[in-house]
Amino acid sequence: MTTDTEARTGRAGRFDPASYEQGWRERWQADALYRADDEDPRQKHYLLTMYPYPSGDLHIGHWYAATGPDIVARMRRMQGLNVMFPMGFDSFGLPTENAAIDRGVDPATWTAANIDQMRAQFRTMGCMFDWSREVVTSDPAYYRWTQWLFGEFFKAGLAYKAMAPVDWCPRDQVVLAREQVEGPNRVCWRCGTPVVKRDLEQWFFRTTRYADELLDFRGIDWPEPIRLMQTNWIGRSEGAEIDFPVEADGVDPIRVFTTRPDTVFGATFMVLAPEHPAVVVLTTPDRRAEVEAYVERARRETEIDRMSAERERSGVFIGPYAVNPMTNERIPIWIADYVLPGYGTGAIMAVPAHDERDYDFARRHELPIRYVVAPTGGEAPAEGAFVEHTSDEVLVDSGEFSGMSAADAIGAIAQQLADLGLGGPAVTYRLRDWLVSRQRYWGAPIPIVYCPEHGAQLVPEAELPVRLPEGVDFAPTGVSPLQSHAEFLRATCPVCGAEARRETDTMDTFVDSSWYFLRYCSPHDELRAWDPEAVKRWMPVDLYTGGAEHAVLHLLYARFFIKALRDIGHLSFDEPFLALRNQGQILGADHQRMSKSRGNVANPDELVARYGSDVVRLFLMFIGPWDQGGPWNASGIEGIHRFLGRVWAQAQPEPGEAVEGSAVPGMPPAQSLAGEPPGSGGPAAGELLGTIEEMSRALRRATHITIRDVGEDYADFHFNTAISKLMELSNAIGKARDTGLAGSAAYGEAIEALLLLLAPAAPHIAEELWSRRGRPYSIHLQAWPTFDAALATADTLELPVQIDGKLRDRLVVTVDTPAEEIERLALASERVQAHLGGRPPRRVVQIPGRLVNIVTSG
RNA sequence: GGGCGAGUGGCGGAACGGCAGACGCGCCGGCUUUAGGAGCCGGUGUCGCAAGACGUGCGAGUUCGAAUCUCGCCUCGCCCACCA
C-alpha cells in the first residue's frame, strides 16, 4: 500500500500545480479545445458572462464572476451540448478618457495595452472561453456596426434628437454622465463640485415605446429581484387624465394625470411644474415678476435642493383660476418645484386632504382642504388633519358618487370624464427615453451630419465607420473634444453634397453592450453586423451571468434592442437572454466595495503563483453561495490546497492497477464491480473480507450519490455545496484506502468519478491526473458520469426516534421494515421507555424513511 | 419614505417542515520530523463530572414536529426615492 506521503513525495511526485497547469492550458489552446463550431450538429448552448471593462487589471471579482459560468459551461459540454462561451471587452468609456486627460496617453493605445494585460491574466484562469470570437467594442470593425444600428433606429423613428436637461459640472465646464455624478450630494466625480442641470440638444432612443412589452417577463427565467427592479423602474401607473378648463380667453385646458380620479371632488387647487409650457402664457402681469424669479431659481437649483428630503414646499400663485370639472368650483393655479416636468403631464390637481405632498403645500400656503373619501362607516376626519389612505374607503361629498367605494369610483369617474370629453382612463410610466449622446471623445461617433439645407442626415452606410480622429486635445473645455477637430467636423450632405457639419457627440457605452452578444455569433463578418444564419443558430443566449448592478441599465437596454430590431425586421425572437443568474459581489476585507482609491483590492496573481489557479478557482467557489458574494478573506484557502493535495495522492495509479477499460458509468468496465478484494496490498484474508465488502459497497454508494448531487448543484449554481460533496467523496476514498480498498474496481470507479466531477471546477488537476492514470485526452471531452439510482440507495436506514419532537434514540433498520415493526421497535427501545417513564403514547407519527415521533401530550 | 433580501458555533457556511451546525477555516490533543513547515489520526455549539438541559436576532402563533411557514418588532445590506 502506498501512503499519501509516499505518493506526494515519491513515485508520483509532489503536488505542484505549477509543474503542469501552464502546460495544459497551452495544449488546450493549441488544440482549440474550446472553439464553438457553427457546423456542430449537437444541440447548441450559448452561455454568456458579462464582458469586462478593460481597466488594466483582473481582480478577484473577475475570477469569481467567471469561474461559476465556466463550471456550468464545462459540465454542459461534457453532457453533450455544443457550448459557446465567448469573451470580449467593453472598451469604450469614460475612465479611459480620464486616463488620457490625466496621463497624456492616447486612449486607443492605452486600451490596447490594458486588453493585452487582461487577456493574459484571463488565460491563467483556465476558463473555456472561445477567444477566437473575441469582441472589442472600441475597434472600428465593431463600432462601425454600432453606428449602423444607430442608423437603423434613426430610420425607424426610434432615434431622435430633442432638448433635454443634462448634468453639468460648473467648475470643469463639462457634461457628466449620470454615473459620473456621485453620492447623496450629487457632486462631480472629478472635482467634487455639485452638478447643475443644463438644457442641451440630445439624442434619444425611444425606449418608452416598449414600456409595456418590457414589463412582460413570460418565457424568461430571470431572478425575481431583477424582474422587480425593472418593473419598478418602468413604473407603470394606471389612473386618469383630466382636463381643467382655465378662466382665460383663448387658452387650452390644463391636462393633469392622477392615479386617484376618485378624489377629484377634493381638488382645491392646481400645481404646474415651473417648466410647464403653459406657465409663460397663463401668468398674469401682476404675478409675472414673482413667477419669473421662482422659475429662474428652480432652474438654477441643483437637483439635490429640489429633491431634498426636508421639503419646504415652496411655490407661487401665477394669477389665473381653473375650473374643477366635477364641482365647477374656481381653483387657483400655482407652480411648485415638487411637480416634476418629466412625469405625467407635468401638472397635477392638488387634493390636499388625501395626498401628503399636497397637504403640506396647502398648510404652508393656506389653501382649502376638503375631505372626499372616508373609511367605510367612519366619521369625517378632524378639521385640518391628514388622513392615511386605507383599503376600504367610500366617497363622501362627491355628488352622485357619494357612497360609492373608492375602488369603484376610480373607474366610474374616469369613464364619466371620458364621456364628457374631459380626459379619461390613462396609463403613465416612469421610464424615460434613453439619452444616448455623450459629449465625449472615447465612444462610437453618432453617424449624423448637419446640412444647412437638409438638417440632420444619416451618414450613408458606405461611409461607415465614422472613425475617431487621432491627436485630439482632451483638456476639458466644456464641449466635446471632437468639436475642436476641424477635419473631423468637415462633412458633406448626403442629399445635396453641400458642406455640412459632423455631429460631435458619441454614443453611451451601453449602446455598445446592447448588441455584443449578437456579434459573438459571427465576429469576423465584415459585410454585416451579424450573419443571420449564425444568429439563428446561436441566439437567444441560453444562460447569462453577471452582476445585479446592471438590472435597470444594460439588462433593460439589451431587451429593448432585441425588441426594436425584431420590429425593424432584423431578428425573429423577443428576448436576448432566456435565463439569467447574478453572482454576488466580492467586497474588500473592510466590507467596502473594492476600489483602487480605497486600497482594498485583492489581487489574485500572488495566490495563483503560490497555489495554482485550480486552488484559487475552487476556493472562490467554496467560500459561500455564488449569488451572495461577501468580504474577501483568503484565510481558508489552505483547506482547498489540502483537499486537492489529497486528491492528488489518492488518484495516482496503483501499482498493477488496470487502467485499461473504465470503472466509470458510461464507459462499461471490463470486470465486475461487485466489491472483490483488491489484487495487491491490503489485509485481504480471513475475517476482514466481510468488512472489505461492506466498505466497497459503501464507497460505491458514496460515489453514485456524489455523481447525482454534484451535477444538480452545478446546474443550480450551488458550487459551494458541490465542492463540499466532492470533499466528502474524497474523505470516503481516504477511508476506503485505509481499509485496503486501493486498487479495487470500486476504488477506481470512485477516483475516476471524482476526477470527472472535479474537471469543470478544477480543470488542470483533473486533466493531469486523468492523464497520469493513462486515460484518453482530454478529460474535458469525456461524457459526464451518470449515476445508478439502485447503487445510490442504502439498504439500511438510521431512523431518529423522537418523543414529542425531541430526539431520544436512533433505530437501525433495513429499508423494507414494515411500519408496524418500526413502531414496535421504537416503543421497545430502552431509552424511549426510560423517557416515557410510564406515560402512555397517544399516537405514533411515522414519516417513512425519515423519522418516528411518539406523541404523549394532547 | 417605499421596495427587495438577509440575521445559524470563534469564522465562511450547511440544512429550507423531520437527527441543527454538513463541508472547510481556526483552535486543542496525539503521531511523524534533527528542527521549522508540511502531512496523518482524534476532538471541538453552550452549560454540566455525568445523566441531562439549553440552543438558529427578539416576541407571539400554526403543527405530532419550526432555523425553515404566519404575524409583530429589532438590526444589517442592496435598489428606488416629491413619480401625483
Side-chain angles (χ1 to χ4, degrees):
Chain A
M1 187 159 73
T2 313
T3 67
D4 284 357
T5 308
E6 282 172 274
R8 293 167 68 84
T9 56
R11 168 177 53 81
R14 210 164 53 83
F15 169 50
D16 177 21
S19 69
Y20 58 80
E21 286 196 345
Q22 178 67 24
W24 283 120
R25 285 195 295 266
E26 283 167 7
R27 171 130 189 228
W28 296 331
Q29 192 186 329
D31 294 346
L33 202 62
Y34 304 130
R35 192 161 296 169
D37 181 1
D38 281 354
E39 307 305 321
D40 192 314
R42 293 174 302 170
Q43 191 190 331
K44 71 94 183 180
H45 190 76
Y46 187 174
L47 213 158
L48 182 66
T49 187
M50 291 178 189
Y51 64 172
Y53 184 82
S55 56
D57 251 317
L58 214 57
H59 59 75
I60 209 81
H62 292 109
W63 277 68
Y64 188 75
T67 304
D70 186 52
I71 290 172
V72 177
R74 289 172 174 280
M75 177 178 73
R76 291 303 182 211
R77 205 170 60 145
M78 292 173 81
Q79 289 172 338
L81 298 173
N82 180 27
V83 176
M84 172 160 78
F85 187 48
M87 181 47 74
F89 294 94
D90 186 16
S91 51
F92 269 140
L94 298 154
T96 297
E97 191 164 343
N98 207 29
I101 295 168
D102 292 348
R103 302 164 197 236
V105 295
D106 170 52
T109 312
W110 169 257
T111 297
N114 283 354
I115 288 176
D116 285 345
Q117 159 83 359
M118 288 178 79
R119 199 189 288 119
Q121 287 178 308
F122 256 123
R123 288 190 191 276
T124 68
M125 294 173 58
C127 284
M128 59 170 275
F129 294 128
D130 179 356
W131 286 104
S132 73
R133 291 175 185 267
E134 183 190 84
V135 151
V136 176
T137 58
S138 60
D139 185 339
Y142 182 86
Y143 71 68
R144 139 179 212 169
W145 300 114
T146 306
Q147 292 171 338
W148 174 79
L149 285 164
F150 180 95
E152 292 298 294
F153 282 12
F154 182 76
K155 288 188 279 185
L158 289 168
Y160 66 94
K161 198 172 195 192
M163 209 62 165
V166 294
D167 292 309
W168 174 263
C169 174
R171 179 175 162 150
D172 287 351
Q173 292 284 296
V174 74
V175 170
L176 300 173
R178 197 184 156 180
E179 46 283 7
Q180 289 177 293
V181 179
E182 290 185 336
N185 294 327
R186 294 184 53 78
V187 298
C188 170
W189 68 331
R190 198 180 293 129
C191 67
T193 309
V195 302
V196 295
K197 286 289 186 192
R198 267 192 123 187
D199 287 331
L200 290 172
E201 278 227 291
Q202 302 289 316
W203 284 96
F204 291 87
F205 284 167
R206 218 176 281 282
T207 42
T208 52
R209 183 175 289 179
Y210 290 90
D212 265 320
E213 196 186 342
L214 289 167
L215 285 168
D216 182 359
F217 296 93
R218 281 175 302 180
I220 58 175
D221 169 21
W222 280 31
E224 176 72 17
I226 301 290
R227 299 204 311 259
L228 253 167
M229 273 191 256
Q230 289 204 352
T231 302
N232 293 338
W233 185 262
I234 294 165
R236 181 188 157 98
S237 285
E238 290 184 21
E241 288 183 343
I242 306 176
D243 287 335
F244 282 67
V246 180
E247 287 189 342
D249 292 333
V251 176
D252 290 335
I254 295 169
R255 175 160 281 205
V256 304
F257 173 78
T258 177
T259 54
R260 294 291 308 275
D262 55 311
T263 63
V264 62
F265 287 85
T268 53
F269 56 100
M270 296 191 76
V271 187
L272 311 188
E275 298 87 345
H276 195 287
V279 173
V280 182
V281 183
L282 292 177
T283 302
T284 54
D286 59 314
R287 307 294 307 154
R288 190 163 303 275
E290 202 181 335
V291 167
E292 281 176 357
Y294 186 82
V295 171
E296 188 54 30
R297 203 183 89 198
R299 182 190 302 280
R300 269 212 300 239
E301 267 182 342
T302 60
E303 200 150 315
I304 183 62
D305 293 329
R306 189 155 171 181
M307 305 224 281
S308 165
E310 295 305 317
R311 293 149 209 150
E312 298 218 343
R313 290 280 169 253
S314 66
V316 293
F317 175 51
I318 66 170
Y321 285 75
V323 177
N324 182 323
M326 300 308 276
T327 63
N328 287 321
E329 199 171 14
R330 296 176 77 228
I331 60 174
I333 302 173
W334 288 64
I335 57 172
D337 61 11
Y338 81 89
V339 176
L340 306 175
Y343 183 77
T345 61
I348 63 159
M349 64 172 196
V351 185
H354 306 293
D355 181 283
E356 202 158 7
R357 294 155 301 184
D358 298 345
Y359 175 80
D360 292 343
F361 194 84
R363 293 291 297 233
R364 183 177 164 89
H365 300 285
E366 297 177 338
L367 292 156
I369 297 169
R370 179 180 305 142
Y371 298 90
V372 290
V373 292
T376 306
E379 300 290 309
E383 190 60 34
F386 179 74
V387 195
E388 290 294 332
H389 182 53
T390 62
S391 57
D392 63 335
E393 294 166 330
V394 291
L395 268 59
V396 296
D397 292 333
S398 297
E400 62 187 282
F401 298 98
S402 297
M404 186 180 280
S405 79
D408 291 343
I410 288 173
I413 290 177
Q415 189 53 50
Q416 184 167 105
L417 288 163
D419 294 344
L420 294 169
L422 293 170
V427 174
T428 193
Y429 302 89
R430 294 169 64 174
L431 182 72
R432 311 295 163 80
D433 280 339
W434 174 14
L435 197 166
V436 296
S437 42
R438 296 287 181 272
Q439 292 69 44
R440 288 292 179 165
Y441 169 78
W442 193 233
I446 291 174
I448 290 284
V449 297
Y450 298 97
C451 170
E453 180 78 11
H454 299 97
Q457 290 292 329
L458 200 57
V459 174
E461 201 177 323
E463 289 176 30
L464 298 181
V466 177
R467 282 177 184 268
L468 283 171
E470 290 171 16
V472 168
D473 178 13
F474 296 102
T477 59
V479 292
S480 165
L482 292 173
Q483 283 202 18
S484 52
H485 199 283
E487 196 183 328
F488 180 82
L489 278 175
R490 202 176 312 125
T492 52
C493 172
V495 179
C496 64
E499 190 166 316
R501 182 180 55 83
R502 195 177 293 287
E503 169 67 65
T504 56
D505 283 359
T506 56
M507 281 183 258
D508 184 2
T509 56
F510 282 109
V511 178
D512 308 331
S513 56
S514 291
W515 74 281
Y516 77 111
F517 43 89
L518 295 168
R519 187 68 183 168
Y520 280 141
C521 298
S522 54
H524 309 296
D525 197 316
E526 291 178 5
L527 303 175
R528 298 162 294 194
W530 57 82
D531 169 1
E533 286 302 311
V535 161
K536 202 171 164 190
R537 152 163 282 268
W538 291 108
M539 287 296 293
V541 172
D542 294 278
L543 178 57
Y544 195 29
T545 71
E549 67 273 16
H550 289 112
V552 292
L553 295 168
H554 165 58
L555 289 170
L556 194 64
Y557 297 146
R559 293 182 68 213
F560 157 74
F561 249 64
I562 294 308
K563 291 170 194 302
L565 290 170
R566 174 203 60 198
D567 289 349
I568 292 171
H570 290 306
L571 298 174
S572 56
F573 51 93
D574 302 317
E575 291 283 349
F577 316 123
L578 296 180
L580 176 70
R581 296 290 178 268
N582 297 117
Q583 79 269 7
Q585 204 164 56
I586 296 296
L587 304 172
D590 54 1
H591 293 59
Q592 302 290 307
R593 268 185 79 122
M594 282 193 192
S595 76
K596 280 181 184 163
S597 57
R598 283 200 190 89
N600 63 351
V601 177
N603 187 328
D605 295 348
E606 288 165 38
L607 291 172
V608 173
R610 186 156 158 207
Y611 294 101
S613 76
D614 282 340
V615 168
V616 174
R617 289 168 59 105
L618 224 45
F619 176 62
L620 283 168
M621 294 301 100
F622 182 65
I623 50 178
W626 186 73
D627 59 3
Q628 194 175 293
W632 172 245
N633 178 0
S635 69
I637 198 167
E638 280 294 344
I640 295 291
H641 181 71
R642 286 200 275 263
F643 164 57
L644 288 187
R646 271 195 303 276
V647 172
W648 177 262
Q650 290 167 343
Q652 300 299 327
E654 297 296 325
E657 183 179 18
V659 292
E660 314 298 319
S662 175
V664 174
M667 288 170 283
Q671 75 260 51
S672 152
L673 286 168
E676 70 274 28
S680 69
E687 68 270 21
L688 279 180
L689 198 58
T691 313
I692 287 168
E693 280 173 1
E694 276 170 34
M695 283 301 298
S696 180
R697 252 199 312 277
L699 181 58
R700 298 207 70 199
R701 188 178 309 128
T703 301
H704 285 263
I705 287 172
T706 307
I707 292 172
R708 181 190 65 200
D709 291 352
V710 169
E712 285 174 12
D713 278 352
Y714 281 166
D716 292 338
F717 283 72
H718 295 164
F719 307 114
N720 57 330
T721 52
I723 293 164
S724 77
K725 285 161 189 167
L726 293 173
M727 289 172 169
E728 286 181 280
L729 180 58
S730 171
N731 291 343
I733 289 170
K735 285 216 170 60
R737 176 187 280 268
D738 292 346
T739 327
L741 235 52
S744 73
Y747 190 84
E749 176 190 48
I751 292 291
E752 301 212 339
L754 179 63
L755 294 182
L756 289 163
L757 297 175
L758 191 60
H764 309 84
I765 190 175
E767 186 81 289
E768 173 71 14
L769 290 168
W770 188 255
S771 160
R772 280 172 177 251
R773 294 179 67 82
R775 311 290 298 138
Y777 174 83
S778 157
I779 192 171
H780 303 297
L781 298 172
Q782 304 303 312
W784 191 246
T786 53
F787 77 97
D788 181 333
L791 283 170
T793 315
D795 38 36
T796 62
L797 286 173
E798 193 182 70
L799 286 181
V801 179
Q802 299 181 332
I803 296 175
D804 296 328
K806 284 188 195 293
L807 180 69
R808 295 308 180 193
D809 200 3
R810 294 166 210 273
L811 282 180
V812 177
V813 296
T814 57
V815 282
D816 52 2
T817 310
E820 309 82 62
E821 176 65 6
I822 290 172
E823 182 170 335
R824 194 189 63 74
L825 287 168
L827 289 170
S829 144
E830 262 179 51
R831 294 168 65 95
V832 167
Q833 284 302 319
H835 276 282
L836 281 175
R839 279 177 304 163
R842 277 181 184 252
R843 67 188 176 108
V844 177
V845 178
Q846 260 200 64
I847 309 298
R850 299 309 298 256
L851 59 37
V852 181
N853 189 17
I854 297 163
V855 185
T856 66
S857 51

